Amino acid sequence: MARVSVPQSPLFGSVAEVTERLAEAGYLASTAVATTVYLADRLGKPLLVEGPAGVGKTELAKAVAAATSSGLVRLQCYEGIDEARALYEWNHAKQLLRITAGQGRESWDETRDDVFSEEFLLPRPLLTAIRRSAPTVLLVDEIDKADVEVEGLLLEVLSDFQVTVPEMGTIVASRRPFALLTSNSTRELSEALKRRCLFLHLDFPDAELERRIVASRVPQLAESLVEALVRTVRVLRELELRKAPSVAETIDWGRTLLALGLDTLDDDAVRTTLGVVLKHQSDQLKAAAELRLN
């Protein structure tokens, strides 16, 4: 069952190429981001991206997949996720039918060999990514939400890009996926997991980069309105809010203003559209007081 991993060409030829191709995919990367993506690809190491929610961690994985014409396999982590949801499980209903059908006609050894075969295996994201022969980006999203035990499952995958199925043997990736893990830092990840990864911390972009991002995603928006939008969002992020506005919400705000036909971000416009970027009533009240909205 084991397959031998063979050398493969890198996805990117240089840091500049990473920047250019991610931009073509709609992701404006800083030099630090482009450099880390290049090194993760060139060294064949997983990339762990930490940072607050909404700074573009998941979008980075999607952009790498789009820029390299790779398939995207996503494992969305959550509290209680287990091996069956992350790695693989057996189709027990189908196995039971097969066992019932074989009773009295064949030995148990024959039945067992059959029910623990490819036909009855249900691959989940980790195994799916390992088995793909086409270029693949494996996104393990919000790994900090999963239990520590799930990190143990990842160690074999991220160390050797292989998965062991006891009944079938070890499956080794014939083509190593580009693995990207994201974390919102809600808990500390294990040192064993971190050792296997390159690390990138993503924070909210500076004003100039955010202006460029909004302008690229909402090109119909006037430059002066983009400027006002980014300036206002940065003021909001300096407040002690339950949830600071993400870059995605800045973009949504721009699209909202465009849809409403607004050409200025005055008090009335902010008051009527603040719910696009602030999703808690307490945050809206605090922002209204800070911005002196009536």
Side-chain angles (χ1 to χ4, degrees):
M1 186 67 183
R3 295 184 294 177
V4 179
S5 182
V6 297
Q8 61 193 59
S9 302
L11 299 172
F12 301 101
S14 66
V15 174
E17 183 182 332
V18 174
T19 303
E20 179 181 350
R21 291 172 67 183
L22 288 182
E24 291 173 354
Y27 192 98
L28 301 182
S30 66
T31 301
V33 171
T35 301
T36 310
V37 168
Y38 171 76
L39 291 174
D41 172 47
R42 186 53 61 104
L43 299 177
K45 293 181 69 68
L47 175 57
L48 171 61
V49 186
E50 283 191 346
V55 295
K57 303 184 296 295
T58 300
E59 290 303 314
L60 177 58
K62 293 179 180 179
V64 171
T68 58
S69 299
S70 298
L72 179 67
V73 177
R74 180 174 182 173
L75 172 61
Q76 179 63 55
C77 297
Y78 52 87
E79 185 177 351
I81 190 173
D82 58 11
E83 179 176 351
R85 294 300 177 188
L87 199 53
Y88 71 90
E89 62 182 325
W90 294 102
N91 189 331
H92 298 301
K94 191 173 181 180
Q95 285 178 320
L96 183 58
L97 289 173
R98 173 64 181 83
I99 292 170
T100 302
Q103 286 180 341
R105 297 192 298 106
E106 59 188 15
S107 68
W108 166 242
D109 287 341
E110 291 175 319
T111 303
R112 181 189 57 202
D113 290 343
D114 193 14
V115 297
F116 288 110
S117 63
E118 180 70 33
E119 181 182 353
F120 300 88
L121 185 66
L122 299 174
R124 299 309 183 195
L126 294 181
L127 181 56
T128 297
I130 288 295
R131 300 176 81 184
R132 281 178 55 89
S133 58
T136 303
V137 172
L138 169 62
L139 168 60
V140 182
D141 214 4
E142 299 184 306
I143 180 60
D144 53 319
K145 289 186 176 180
D147 298 329
V148 175
E149 290 75 13
V150 175
E151 291 187 33
L153 295 177
L154 287 171
L155 297 182
E156 181 183 19
V157 175
L158 300 181
S159 294
D160 303 312
F161 291 98
Q162 65 181 34
V163 168
T164 299
V165 180
E167 299 86 353
M168 300 176 66
T170 299
I171 303 171
V172 181
S174 59
R175 183 183 184 95
R176 185 180 62 248
F178 182 101
L180 190 150
L181 295 75
T182 74
S183 168
N184 295 333
S185 304
T186 58
R187 70 169 176 86
E188 188 69 22
L189 301 177
S190 70
E191 291 301 323
L193 181 65
K194 288 183 175 181
R195 279 197 304 271
R196 288 161 172 77
C197 303
L198 296 185
F199 178 79
L200 173 66
H201 179 80
L202 270 187
D203 210 336
F204 294 112
D206 59 34
E208 174 57 30
L209 180 55
E210 190 158 16
R211 280 192 292 269
R212 290 172 54 207
I213 292 172
V214 175
S216 67
R217 295 298 184 91
V218 197
Q220 305 94 330
L221 210 60
E223 184 177 342
S224 59
L225 195 51
V226 172
E227 175 73 31
L229 195 65
V230 170
R231 185 171 60 249
T232 304
V233 167
R234 294 181 70 80
V235 170
L236 295 176
R237 288 183 186 142
E238 292 174 358
L239 304 178
E240 294 184 3
L241 303 175
R242 289 182 60 184
K243 169 65 173 64
S246 68
V247 177
E249 286 163 335
T250 307
I251 295 170
D252 286 343
W253 207 3
R255 288 171 175 162
T256 298
L257 299 176
L258 189 65
L260 293 174
L262 300 175
D263 53 10
T264 59
L265 192 63
D266 55 21
D267 288 355
D268 287 339
V270 173
R271 188 185 308 106
T272 56
T273 61
L274 197 56
V276 175
V277 287
L278 300 181
K279 310 303 172 60
H280 297 281
Q281 177 67 10
S282 59
D283 287 349
Q284 291 188 23
L285 293 174
K286 185 176 292 186
E290 178 68 22
L291 299 173
R292 295 180 174 84
L293 302 178
N294 297 323

